Amino acid sequence: MTDTLHIFDTTLRDGEQSPGCSMNAEEKLKVAQALDTLGVDVIEAGFPAASPGDFASVQQIASKIKGARIAGLARALTKDIEAAAKAIKPAGDRGRIHTFIATSPIHMEAKLRMSPDEVVQRAVDSVKLARSLAPEVEFSAEDAGRSEIDFLCRIVEATIAAGARIINIPDTVGYMTPDEFGSRIRTLIERVPNSDQAIFSVHCHNDLGLAVANSLAAVANGARQVECTINGLGERAGNAALEEIVMILRTRRDRYDIDTGIDTTRIVPTSKLVSKITGSPVQANKAIVGANAFAHESGIHQDGMLKHHKTYEIMTPKSVGWSTNRMVLGKHSGRAALIARYAELGTVLDDAQLQTVFFRFKVLADKKKEIFNEDLLALLSDDVVADERISLIGLHVASGTRDTPVAVVELKVADETLKASSEGDGPVDAAFKAIKSLVEPNGKLLLYSVNAITSGTDAQGEVTVRLQDGARVVNGQGADTDIVVASAKALIDALNKLPDMHAKAVHAQYSGI
Ligand code: KIV
Ligand code: ZN
């Protein structure tokens, strides 16, 4: 019988540790809902002791998500474990405390300044405390990849005896190779006397590009939980990519005979949602979820595909959620067709959303002949933000080879209508300067990226903007057939996420242009 691998998703915790990828509570809940629909077994919702915001977000996810188990991360410290226990409480018997301490010589000596005996004692005390406060406890030996195997066996045995039912072996710095990591997992399972009382888990980082290979080597050697993230997000070079692990097991069942409970058709929509929310674009040639993952360019390949799709495809785009029905609706389509298509894409529109999205759809259909599923998802992602304080009323840009680009913007800020104009190095720069002249704080631009959502010169451009205001980093997205308009929308989306943003007092000087 095919064995089952548990998927532990840490997009909301380790993924959020990717530079610039922080999410607010509402965004985290959206991702958690998508992960639950995707079918992950465990959602690591955050690190409750890290901040009051993290605590509240884990608590909210624990109370709203009804399928997956909800894990809260905690260092091996009483205050962390108590905070995690409280935050995951609404999940009831689906709550898990994930506590960790470092076990490698370099981490114990240089970082913790603790002896190996002290580390074992702290791990055991922490697992016992966590077990008294939560239904399930996972213990991680941080930097297990560089830990001495005898010490690792000792601490694993002690924490299982203390009540941990999931033992996680992280390759924290992505140093391992598949053969050595696989044999490390086998050694632990064979040598630790009570190993049969726990599920062995792995958590691999991608510093040498081996996170997925190492995770699979561990699975082949007895690991039955893999910690991974959507799009491989995570600290530094990231974690093992969920979509790759899942599709390797599905496509090569002949090699592994292990499967997951993931609904693979939800992979691409989930990847797009995470990319949009974190402002972290997916590279075009990324396996499974990259825009080119199923694109066939050369004549020989296209000829083969026309004769039989299996000539150049080892899995179908449909099986991972790419829409095969590429061309969808046009300007004559009605509400019913729109509702049905969104339902196929996994979104049930309520009346208010339908109203807004249908209007945007008609506007887009006037500009663009063919409307693809990707366009529809972008229309949806343009959702009106509940506390939207700035909105774009109008934008006019003039640019050319001989002229200095100039932009005139009209914004609604709170209840005021404001106008400004500015010159810039290009039309986008001019538009950004004009918008920024009207509000404060207006943040430092950390990232600006443009992606074509579909192909063709009438494709919508999807722009991502990342702004920094002090310690806060926010992302904004905007889509439009006009890239300058998409850019202005993305900037405004990001500005709306800055808590104290308001109209600049000096705006009067610009009005009336
Ligand atoms: O990389 C790591 O070791 C971690 C642990 C907290 C599991 O993220
Ligand atoms: Zn990690």
Side-chain angles (χ1 to χ4, degrees), residues 13-14 73 98 100 140 142-143 168 170-172 203 205 227:
R13 199 277 298 168
D14 214 316
L73 185 69
H98 175 195
F100 72 99
S140 279
E142 190 191 6
D143 204 14
N168 185 39
D171 181 21
T172 303
H203 173 114
H205 278 272
E227 302 197 354

Side-chain angles (χ1 to χ4, degrees), residues 113 134 176-177 190 220 258 297 302 314 398 425 430:
R113 298 184 199 283
M176 296 266 94
T177 60
E190 284 175 0
I258 295 172
E297 180 69 23
Q302 287 176 353
I314 56 168
D425 288 337

Side-chain angles (χ1 to χ4, degrees), residues 278-312:
T278 58
S280 185
V282 175
Q283 78 196 48
N285 62 338
K286 165 84 180 62
I288 323 288
V289 292
N292 291 349
F294 294 91
H296 303 277
E297 180 69 23
S298 85
I300 295 173
H301 287 211
Q302 287 176 353
D303 179 53
M305 282 297 292
L306 287 171
K307 288 176 175 146
H308 199 298
H309 75 95
K310 282 197 172 166
T311 51
Y312 288 102

Side-chain angles (χ1 to χ4, degrees), residues 9 12 32 35-36 40-45 61 65 68-71:
D9 181 279
L12 293 171
L35 292 171
D36 201 27
V40 307
D41 298 280
V42 187
I43 296 173
E44 185 162 54
I61 290 170
I65 298 297
R69 291 174 183 278
I70 305 298

Side-chain angles (χ1 to χ4, degrees), residues 187-208:
T187 303
L188 281 165
I189 293 174
E190 284 175 0
R191 273 185 41 191
V192 171
N194 52 4
S195 65
D196 59 331
Q197 292 171 36
I199 291 176
F200 278 73
S201 163
V202 290
H203 173 114
C204 297
H205 278 272
N206 206 29
D207 299 68
L208 293 172

